Amino acid sequence: MAEQDRDQAALTRLLSEAPRQWDEADRTLFATVGRHVQSRTDAGDFPPNAPDPAALTGPLYRFLLEHRAARDSSHARLSGWFASASMGSHHLWQDLGLQERPEVSRLMRLAFPTLHDSNVRNLRWKRHLFLSLGEALGRPGRRPPKCDDCADFAVCMGVDQAAAPTPVPTTTPAAITLHPLIVLGD
């Protein structure tokens, strides 16, 4: 029972930290993602408590920060959760603790609208994020680090591996050296 109480307290705290302008269902998605990603991080499944051999968590976090809808701590926190979960070995919606892909689309539209709108080919979100990150870093064709060994590789990545990545607006902010899960108030 104590674990259930802690879980409920964490959910309540995260609901209070969700963007105020979001409706209740979207605030619940925010809290669900936060609780799940933090739990998986604490268990050593995601960076920073898991290895990041490709060293992409930080660059992806900073890239997401550039594209967040609002420069507040809620959106910065969501950037960190997405960056960490993107290093997971499952579909992004699963690594975020969501029920289905459309929930990721909804969060992308709310929190990262430029990235959402740039996914004109309706790519899987993890693929789109890494292709877009690769473009921004001058390394087109970047793939998520754990996807090559996945049984769903062909489904997610498609046959056309040589396709040009979807262009994304790129701006380079002042140097950000924050750890992906350390969020300072904006």
Side-chain angles (χ1 to χ4, degrees), residues 123-161:
L123 298 174
R124 302 291 172 112
W125 284 112
K126 195 183 283 191
R127 180 175 187 208
H128 179 67
L129 287 175
F130 279 90
L131 284 174
S132 300
L133 174 64
E135 273 296 305
L137 296 175
R139 293 183 279 175
R142 169 75 58 202
R143 290 201 307 241
K146 294 190 178 176
C147 291
D148 287 345
D149 298 325
C150 179
D152 288 336
F153 181 83
V155 174
C156 295
M157 299 298 163
V159 184
D160 183 14
Q161 283 296 297

Side-chain angles (χ1 to χ4, degrees), residues 1-12:
M1 192 61 137
E3 187 175 328
Q4 240 179 359
D5 290 341
R6 278 194 304 275
D7 196 42
Q8 185 58 44
L11 186 60
T12 301

Side-chain angles (χ1 to χ4, degrees), residues 92-152:
L92 185 56
W93 61 269
Q94 293 168 318
D95 284 328
L96 288 169
L98 299 172
Q99 298 298 311
E100 56 188 355
R101 184 175 182 265
E103 291 175 318
V104 180
S105 296
R106 183 154 181 82
L107 286 173
M108 290 295 296
R109 185 178 56 75
L110 289 166
F112 310 105
T114 58
L115 288 171
H116 176 273
D117 294 347
S118 70
N119 191 3
V120 295
R121 296 185 327 190
N122 196 29
L123 298 174
R124 302 291 172 112
W125 284 112
K126 195 183 283 191
R127 180 175 187 208
H128 179 67
L129 287 175
F130 279 90
L131 284 174
S132 300
L133 174 64
E135 273 296 305
L137 296 175
R139 293 183 279 175
R142 169 75 58 202
R143 290 201 307 241
K146 294 190 178 176
C147 291
D148 287 345
D149 298 325
C150 179
D152 288 336

